Amino acid sequence: GAPDQIGGLALSGNDLYFGIDPDDDAPAIIDVDISDPDHPQRVQRVYSDDFVKPFLASDSRLYASSDDLWVFQIPALEGLPLNPNTHQYEGIPVADSIGGLETDIYLWDRHTVRVLDNRVPSLPIESNRFRFPDSESAYFAGSHVYNRYVADSGYAQTICVTDLKAPDTDWCEHPLPMSDPNFFDREASGAGVIAEAKGYAFIGYWKWRDIEHTDIVDVRDLNAMRLVDVVPYLPVDVDILDNGQEQYIVWGLSSEDAPPAVRITSVAQPHVTVGRLQLDSPIRQIELEGHILAVLTSIPQLVLIDLSEPNNPQEIGRYHLEEKVQSPCTSLEVVHNRAY
């Protein structure tokens, strides 16, 4: 029967994994061979105890979430014993709390980042652990983890970045420079990492009944971070386009005050619009593959935009996903010129 829910998305080589929760059967993980993307073939259906949603895959492991973290061995999709009697990592919140780089997987459990050695397929081994007291969130980008810390008032206080590959790492050793050092003195303020791309971090700040803004911070050297600039808006998503001659910031913008649009600026002058393309539906996510930008909208639609001329972005394709699905699409991944 048709599933009433499909969740998660993870790619490993030519295998695409996602979870299903059918009306008339037990929850399961589906493994699909996409070596021929025009004719995908189901490889296996493995039943699970809960509706799990795959979200990260390596050559040997598949990581999935329900209320807890689950780890499966590839290709058999056998559960791995992170706890003595179960393959659940109980108590680990999984939203924005896992990252990976080469042989390591990073897990955040509100107070600690655990580093799992990902080289041995049959047994994830904890190889290191970093304490992050009073941290309310974690965002992973490569070996960097961004933690937001809160004051006694309950409002955000500062955001710090840590390189988990660096020796003798201490918590909040590298607080991010801010365009407004007194920002967190205001009530009802918030902050979060929107993205890190090509050595630049985009940090969004907002407060009740006031203007949102985004700091652009150069994080290529954590010991010499600098504030590049600040822009007076809060993007949904952001990436950096490098055409070999210049770097451009690609902003996915959606707000109540202006039509949704893709805006292109240079890294050197983030306030100056180089190119702009208006869309007809709010943006959920953008993914850049070479000079082609894939935009997932809330209708849902997948819009493809050619950025080979940053000053003249052109829509080159549009796929009406609303004709095929009955609910909003929530995630997008582009690999080898294919969008999933």
Side-chain angles (χ1 to χ4, degrees), residues 91 94 98 137 161 184 219 241 327:
V94 293
I98 185 166
S137 67
V161 58
F184 291 124
V219 294
L241 169 70
S327 59

Side-chain angles (χ1 to χ4, degrees), residues 9-59:
L9 193 68
L11 286 165
S12 177
N14 289 322
D15 288 276
L16 174 69
Y17 301 94
F18 57 89
I20 64 170
D21 187 15
D23 283 328
D24 55 359
D25 204 349
I29 296 175
I30 305 297
D31 175 7
V32 179
D33 182 352
I34 56 170
S35 55
D36 180 359
D38 295 320
H39 302 90
Q41 300 291 323
R42 190 171 79 177
V43 176
Q44 58 181 329
R45 176 187 185 127
V46 178
Y47 290 101
S48 54
D49 297 333
D50 199 358
F51 177 31
V52 298
K53 304 171 185 177
F55 61 92
L56 181 67
S58 66
D59 292 338

Side-chain angles (χ1 to χ4, degrees), residues 130-148:
F130 300 97
R131 289 283 298 168
F132 293 90
D134 304 319
S135 171
E136 97 172 336
S137 67
Y139 175 92
F140 290 99
S143 64
H144 288 172
V145 58
Y146 294 82
N147 295 93
R148 185 172 64 227

Side-chain angles (χ1 to χ4, degrees), residues 26-102:
I29 296 175
I30 305 297
D31 175 7
V32 179
D33 182 352
I34 56 170
S35 55
D36 180 359
D38 295 320
H39 302 90
Q41 300 291 323
R42 190 171 79 177
V43 176
Q44 58 181 329
R45 176 187 185 127
V46 178
Y47 290 101
S48 54
D49 297 333
D50 199 358
F51 177 31
V52 298
K53 304 171 185 177
F55 61 92
L56 181 67
S58 66
D59 292 338
S60 60
R61 296 196 193 126
L62 175 68
Y63 293 82
S65 66
S66 55
D67 290 331
D68 302 302
L69 176 67
W70 299 65
V71 184
F72 300 90
Q73 185 173 348
I74 293 176
L77 293 184
E78 297 175 352
L80 297 178
L82 286 172
N83 283 337
N85 300 313
T86 176
H87 47 282
Q88 292 172 263
Y89 214 140
E90 297 176 355
I92 299 282
V94 293
D96 293 329
S97 64
I98 185 166
L101 182 70
E102 300 170 351

